Amino acid sequence: MFIQTEATPNPDVLKFLPGRDVLGKGSLEFRTEDEAEKSPLAHALFQIDGVSGVYFGSDFLTVKRDPEAALIWAQIKAPILAAIMDFYASSRPILSEGSEVVERVYEGEVAQIVAEIKDLLDTRVRPAVAQDGGDIEFDHFDIDSGTLYLHMRGACSGCPSSSATLRQGVESLMKHYVPEVQTIEQVL
């Protein structure tokens, strides 16, 4: 198995491309070892000294190193690659049995607005940020204030340029195509 690695705009995050589906559809982020219990691969990665976050995209994963650990990528990259290869060799599922993601349900006019927002995110925003090892996910939309709440995931989470991406790129795109969106807020 050959796993490609790519740098991301966030110096504390490295992108890994195993050449196979990771999550297939959607994405998941694990910020703590407890959250990582949902996935055998995420759990294995958190066992490596210096790993402080894991993100799964459709066909890639990113690993965040703890900037306080004083470890360089050269020290932890090989154990991360080994954990990924071991996981794929085991043929285990990416998520433990019973783990699932639950989404909020919208109705009526708000449901149509949310569908437009999600479509724009999926077709125009997410593919671009996925190239950098990150993702922007819909959290919720408040119709009364016109505020769209988004999660920055993977390499985008904590990236120095993430606020510029939200304000200059995503917010202007959303306001143009979905006039009900007045502002965008990042959910931490």
Side-chain angles (χ1 to χ4, degrees):
M1 175 177 201
F2 178 73
I3 302 171
Q4 291 180 299
T5 59
E6 293 180 1
T8 70
N10 185 339
D12 291 322
V13 178
L14 196 58
K15 181 178 178 181
F16 295 85
L17 298 137
R20 302 176 184 189
D21 274 353
V22 175
L23 207 52
K25 185 177 179 183
S27 61
L28 278 175
E29 185 169 39
F30 305 94
R31 295 182 185 161
T32 66
E33 194 169 339
D34 288 341
E35 289 178 3
E37 292 297 324
K38 295 180 195 175
S39 166
L41 176 54
H43 177 73
L45 292 168
F46 265 96
Q47 301 311 301
I48 299 168
D49 256 354
V51 171
S52 66
V54 175
Y55 173 80
F56 294 156
S58 59
D59 63 350
F60 70 92
L61 61 130
T62 62
V63 177
K64 182 177 184 179
R65 71 175 174 192
D66 182 357
E68 306 296 316
L71 293 170
I72 59 172
W73 281 115
Q75 294 171 300
I76 61 174
K77 186 175 171 182
I80 291 169
L81 289 167
I84 295 168
M85 285 190 262
D86 289 348
F87 171 77
Y88 280 102
S90 74
S91 298
R92 291 181 288 175
I94 194 82
L95 295 175
S96 303
E97 197 171 307
S99 298
E100 60 183 70
V101 180
V102 180
E103 281 193 39
R104 193 179 297 201
V105 177
Y106 293 90
E107 295 179 0
E109 181 186 341
V110 179
Q112 290 176 323
I113 294 167
V114 168
E116 286 179 57
I117 291 168
K118 287 182 176 181
D119 183 57
L120 280 170
L121 285 172
D122 289 344
T123 58
R124 295 191 177 219
V125 178
R126 295 178 80 194
V129 295
Q131 291 178 353
D132 288 334
D135 200 359
I136 297 178
E137 292 181 339
F138 175 84
D139 184 74
H140 70 280
F141 178 65
D142 181 349
I143 188 72
D144 296 327
S145 67
T147 305
L148 172 59
Y149 295 88
L150 300 173
H151 286 280
M152 304 294 279
R153 304 284 192 184
C156 292
S157 179
C159 178
S161 61
S162 65
S163 61
T165 299
L166 274 180
R167 297 287 172 247
Q168 296 167 1
V170 180
E171 187 172 79
S172 60
L173 176 81
M174 286 296 167
K175 284 179 173 181
H176 179 77
Y177 287 102
V178 186
E180 293 84 358
V181 174
Q182 298 300 309
T183 187
I184 293 181
E185 294 293 328
Q186 181 177 350
V187 177
L188 300 174

